[in-house]
Amino acid sequence: MPYKLVVVGASLGGLHAVAALLGALSPDFPLPLAIVQHRHKESDETLRIVLQRSSGLAVCEVEDKQPISPGTACLAPPDYHLLVEQGTYALSTDEPEMYARPSIDVLFESAADAYGPNVIGVILTGASADGARGLATIKAAGGLTVVQDPATAECDVMPRAALDAGVADHVMPIPEIAALLTRLGTVVPKVGV
Amino acid sequence: MTELEDLEIQLLLEGVAQLYGYDFRNYALASLKRRIWNMVQSEGVKTVSGLQEKVLHDPLCLDRFLLAMTVNVTAMFRDPHFYQAFSAKVVPMLRTYPFIRIWHAGCSTGEEVYSMAILLHEAGLYDRCRIYATDMNAAVLSKAREGIYPLEKMQEYTGNYLKAGGTQAFSRYYTAAYERAIVRPWLREQITFSQHNLATDGSFNEFNVVLCRNVMIYFNKTLQEHVHRLLYASLTLFGVLGLGQAESLKFTPHEHDYAEVVQGQRLYRRMR
Ligand SMILES: C[S@@+](CC[C@H](N)C(=O)[O-])C[C@H]1O[C@@H](n2cnc3c(N)ncnc32)[C@H](O)[C@@H]1O
């Protein structure tokens, strides 16, 4: 299955986890990454800057209707839900879900809706149950589901909640998640005649 | 499954547009879909078609539909930095005008409009201003007109107001009664509230300032482009357009006709 989009959800402890994941991907990693990291609604650009420092990929905060472009890691801005449409990101200030805006479920469910089996969903560390439902939706749409090994997570509540949903294709520590994404993202080039 | 869902949604929006004239057909689909499904649940029906039947046959259900399809979240001095930048960079320009016309498009329940009135009052410009505040939804407009808000919100708003550069005691601007904060009548004097739908109504005046914040994020590209043309046509030369924190002019039809007033603050001046 040629994957077209990676969606990542992280909460408590996510700063290090997301930095580790992005840091382990090579600068020419070809898939777009959309990331929801729970954070305070008045947080500034620090998260983006810190992540950019640890990654060779371009890291940005999403602006409304920004095109989904390869090799770019896009963060949900604070206090907005991040959604996926065909070819673009979209934002909204609909009610928080499970106390969260941005919500991981909202990102994952919209990604599954727009990209069906071409989505890879990744749940990392956190102290919430956000993301479990979204991961199940990705699975149901034929996408690939990955959960950080709870034993390696700064906070294991969120990975465990995702595992309890019973839909994880892979459970692994972050370096292996990065290796898996790299393998899946690399499309074997067609040999021209 | 999704194909059928998409068809049902299309039919629902088509029906509402034809029967009632409220056109949601070019709203951003991903979040609209979620709101439709939330309403399917809250109305106790099973399918989008079930919702369609209810909305088309029951005008009271339409009122709920309009509220359910739009996001009305707003706050006084939301994004304080925006107001700070407005005071610093736009107000000095407005001082040179004898008369100032301002349009808040998509004003929801009015908090943003009163914030602007307060800012202009403190700048000593309010007497010279006329503010037109519009929204497509009559229900939120009547709340805006009343200017009555939960008293408990005032603590947060006072904080925003101070961060925005407010210089007075914020409590000057409302009276408290029964857990409610009522905006002072003199603050409402220069404001006209009226119904206007950005998707279907045209330009109705020329303005020195147009604020359309956190409204177009709910539209798809097509409707966004339409609205950008409308706002551009409604601005005087060197008039200022204000957008929401996560919105920009990038990839819009008039991107190159504006100059950024303050970097990162979503304020743009029409240059041609
Ligand atoms: C999230 S509120 C924004 C309020 C305020 N501008 C702010 O930024 O705090 C969005 C508002 O846009 C209004 N709206 C949605 N579609 C509209 C349309 N087609 N024409 C006019 N207003 C619309 C909604 O009714 C809602 O009140």
Side-chain angles (χ1 to χ4, degrees):
Chain A
M1 182 56 59
Y3 292 104
K4 291 183 181 155
L5 175 68
V6 182
V7 289
V8 179
S11 188
L12 185 65
L15 179 57
H16 293 125
V18 177
L21 179 64
L22 295 185
L25 294 172
S26 103
D28 55 11
F29 179 71
L31 298 180
L33 295 123
I35 303 164
V36 163
Q37 162 70 55
H38 291 163
R39 53 181 162 154
H40 190 269
K41 67 177 186 171
E42 275 167 35
S43 34
D44 55 15
E45 266 213 299
T46 313
L47 178 65
R48 188 192 68 75
I49 293 166
V50 170
L51 292 177
Q52 185 63 83
R53 232 179 267 141
S54 54
S55 172
L57 297 162
V59 182
C60 69
E61 245 177 42
V62 172
E63 274 182 10
D64 184 50
K65 304 299 175 320
Q66 185 176 319
I68 298 178
S69 29
T72 312
C74 288
L75 289 167
D79 213 23
Y80 288 89
H81 289 304
L82 171 60
L83 298 101
V84 172
E85 307 244 0
Q86 276 301 333
T88 65
Y89 293 114
L91 300 172
S92 99
T93 54
D94 278 285
E95 289 300 308
E97 303 222 359
M98 304 187 81
Y99 309 104
R101 190 171 60 209
S103 143
I104 301 168
D105 284 335
V106 169
L107 170 65
F108 281 25
E109 288 171 2
S110 67
D113 197 47
Y115 282 86
N118 307 117
V119 178
I120 304 173
V122 181
I123 293 288
L124 302 175
T125 171
S128 141
D130 189 13
R133 208 182 62 208
L135 203 68
T137 311
I138 290 179
K139 178 76 178 176
L144 189 82
T145 53
V146 185
V147 177
Q148 181 182 8
D149 178 354
T152 69
E154 230 171 285
C155 181
D156 67 2
V157 175
M158 208 161 79
R160 280 192 194 289
L163 291 181
D164 286 345
V167 293
D169 293 316
H170 299 276
V171 184
M172 41 180 56
I174 286 174
E176 285 180 36
I177 297 178
L180 175 72
L181 293 182
T182 302
R183 234 177 17 253
L184 295 173
T186 315
V187 185
V188 186
K190 282 202 189 112
V191 185
V193 185
Chain B
M1 177 63 204
T2 20
E3 261 173 44
L4 178 57
E5 179 194 8
D6 286 347
L7 175 65
E8 287 182 277
I9 289 178
Q10 225 180 312
L11 292 172
L12 167 70
L13 302 181
E14 191 65 41
V16 170
Q18 290 202 16
L19 185 63
Y20 298 113
Y22 288 101
D23 193 348
F24 290 98
R25 287 173 299 185
N26 282 314
Y27 278 50
L29 197 58
S31 60
L32 187 70
K33 242 185 214 180
R34 297 187 74 85
R35 292 193 285 274
I36 290 174
W37 279 109
N38 286 342
M39 187 165 180
V40 166
Q41 282 197 340
S42 67
E43 291 292 321
V45 290
K46 291 209 173 58
T47 60
V48 177
S49 303
L51 180 61
Q52 178 193 317
E53 149 143 44
K54 237 180 144 176
V55 177
L56 294 189
H57 289 278
D58 175 3
L60 285 179
C61 186
L62 173 73
D63 294 344
R64 296 196 294 278
F65 181 79
L66 294 181
L67 282 174
M69 290 310 108
T70 55
V71 176
N72 304 299
V73 186
T74 183
M76 283 194 162
F77 294 98
R78 177 182 194 172
D79 310 317
H81 294 292
F82 176 86
Y83 289 90
Q84 223 175 33
F86 191 94
S87 291
K89 300 290 177 183
V90 181
V91 162
M93 208 175 76
L94 298 181
R95 283 193 197 292
T96 64
Y97 300 153
F99 188 73
I100 303 154
R101 263 196 304 269
I102 298 175
W103 179 20
H104 289 258
C107 67
S108 189
T109 41
E111 286 87 334
E112 179 186 80
V113 188
Y114 293 118
S115 307
M116 184 53 76
I118 290 170
L119 183 157
L120 293 165
H121 166 72
E122 293 190 6
L125 290 176
Y126 193 42
D127 293 342
R128 275 194 256 163
C129 294
R130 185 88 231 155
I131 300 183
Y132 296 80
T134 63
D135 202 284
M136 63 154 214
N137 192 329
V140 296
L141 268 178
S142 76
K143 284 198 180 163
R145 222 173 263 127
E146 283 175 350
I148 302 176
Y149 304 109
L151 193 58
E152 73 205 26
K153 290 271 187 186
M154 290 304 132
Q155 199 179 352
E156 178 197 338
Y157 293 171
T158 305
N160 286 352
Y161 163 78
L162 293 172
K163 273 187 230 158
T167 55
Q168 309 284 313
F170 190 58
S171 53
R172 286 187 48 181
Y173 298 111
Y174 61 88
T175 44
Y178 307 106
E179 305 300 306
R180 294 274 179 270
I182 306 163
V183 172
R184 295 265 183 203
W186 61 264
L187 211 50
R188 267 178 272 178
E189 233 148 65
Q190 315 284 12
I191 306 172
T192 307
F193 291 100
S194 51
Q195 212 169 344
H196 179 279
N197 191 324
L198 290 163
T200 47
D201 295 328
S203 176
F204 60 96
N205 213 327
E206 272 210 335
F207 299 93
N208 305 104
V209 176
V210 175
L211 296 193
C212 187
R213 308 180 66 217
N214 306 296
V215 180
M216 279 184 275
I217 55 174
Y218 302 104
F219 300 168
N220 73 11
K221 288 292 257 187
T222 310
L223 184 52
Q224 282 189 350
E225 285 175 14
H226 168 81
V227 175
H228 271 293
R229 285 197 195 91
L230 174 66
L231 300 185
Y232 175 80
S234 306
L235 269 173
T236 57
L237 188 60
F238 304 124
V240 170
L241 173 66
L243 301 177
Q245 222 32 246
E247 300 168 291
S248 84
L249 283 179
K250 244 183 261 163
F251 319 118
T252 66
H254 290 289
E255 180 181 358
H256 302 293
D257 298 323
Y258 291 92
E260 211 174 2
V261 177
V262 190
Q263 220 216 327
Q265 284 307 327
R266 317 303 183 190
L267 283 164
Y268 305 89
R269 176 175 299 149
R270 180 176 161 177
M271 300 307 284
R272 59 176 167 219

